[in-house]
Amino acid sequence: MSLPDSWTGRSAAIQRHSASEAVFQDLRTAIGSGELPVGVKLPPEAALAERYGVSRSVVREALRSCQALGLTETRTGSGTVVKSARPATPRYGTFSTRDLVEARPYVEVPAAGWAARRRTAEQLENLQRIVDAMAGEPDATRWLRLDAEFHLAIAEASGNEVFVSVVGAIRAALAKQPLQRTAVLAARRAAADGEHRRIVEAIVAGDFAHAGDRMRQHLDRVAESADALRA
């Protein structure tokens, strides 16, 4: 199947501050709309890099995200082919996205509340260090590691070993599919940084209810992003 003129002919300039995410989103939109139909073979990495005005490594990362979502398939010797117009339901280890989205508020919301009551000065300093590092981290993979560290640090600050164990298991499951997580979070990292900072502010203030509410709001936004990814 040949490439559609509607796709090859339109502009595809990409802003470099989020190049891999932008390339991924453009490809995903084109695939979802049918502009790049199922069965079409995508151009080689070098041609895509020229089209978008980015490096081949940027294109490679975007293609990995497409493949992780089941949108494309890379076949040895024959290149990358569009496999599906809709993302497959992501799975994180043995858990589905729905499993995690439904379970997290029951653990992480009260964990944030108890962290506001029980946190030590050292734990507050650690949480502040993490949110500061996240705000200045341009690399998505490293940002995701800091995100896992942030949520686990809150569980530890709660002083409840059940929360620590369950949140640790959730973060380990999420780490099984980092490309899918990158796809979910790429478009809202800046927003998540602000949400994390507001959670820490409530913990610093020692406000049990406010800390829990802010964690719930954050998890609601994460769930919305996951739903949008599957749409």
Side-chain angles (χ1 to χ4, degrees), residues 147-229:
D147 178 67
E149 187 179 348
F150 173 79
H151 286 271
L152 188 57
I154 289 176
E156 291 170 346
S158 76
N160 186 308
E161 289 301 320
V162 174
F163 291 156
V164 174
S165 178
V166 175
V167 171
I170 289 172
R171 307 319 291 186
L174 289 169
K176 299 292 186 182
Q177 296 291 343
L179 288 174
Q180 291 176 352
R181 290 187 66 211
T182 299
V184 170
L185 294 171
R188 66 175 317 275
R189 273 161 50 193
D193 286 341
E195 291 159 12
H196 289 162
R197 196 169 294 279
R198 287 188 288 275
I199 292 167
V200 172
E201 288 171 353
I203 292 174
V204 169
D207 192 324
F208 185 101
H210 204 185
D213 286 344
R214 287 184 169 182
M215 177 62 81
R216 184 181 301 280
Q217 291 165 13
H218 169 59
L219 295 177
D220 284 347
R221 302 293 85 75
V222 172
E224 289 169 2
S225 295
D227 288 342
L229 185 69

Side-chain angles (χ1 to χ4, degrees), residues 132-148:
D132 288 345
M134 294 181 81
E137 180 52 68
D139 182 82
T141 300
R142 288 194 292 268
W143 188 93
L144 286 169
R145 285 198 291 267
L146 288 167
D147 178 67

Side-chain angles (χ1 to χ4, degrees), residues 6 14 67 72 76 84 91 120 131 144 160 196 211 224 230:
S6 61
I14 293 299
Q67 183 165 340
T72 62
T76 303
S84 173
R91 294 196 67 85
T120 65
V131 295
L144 286 169
N160 186 308
H196 289 162
E224 289 169 2
R230 297 195 301 271

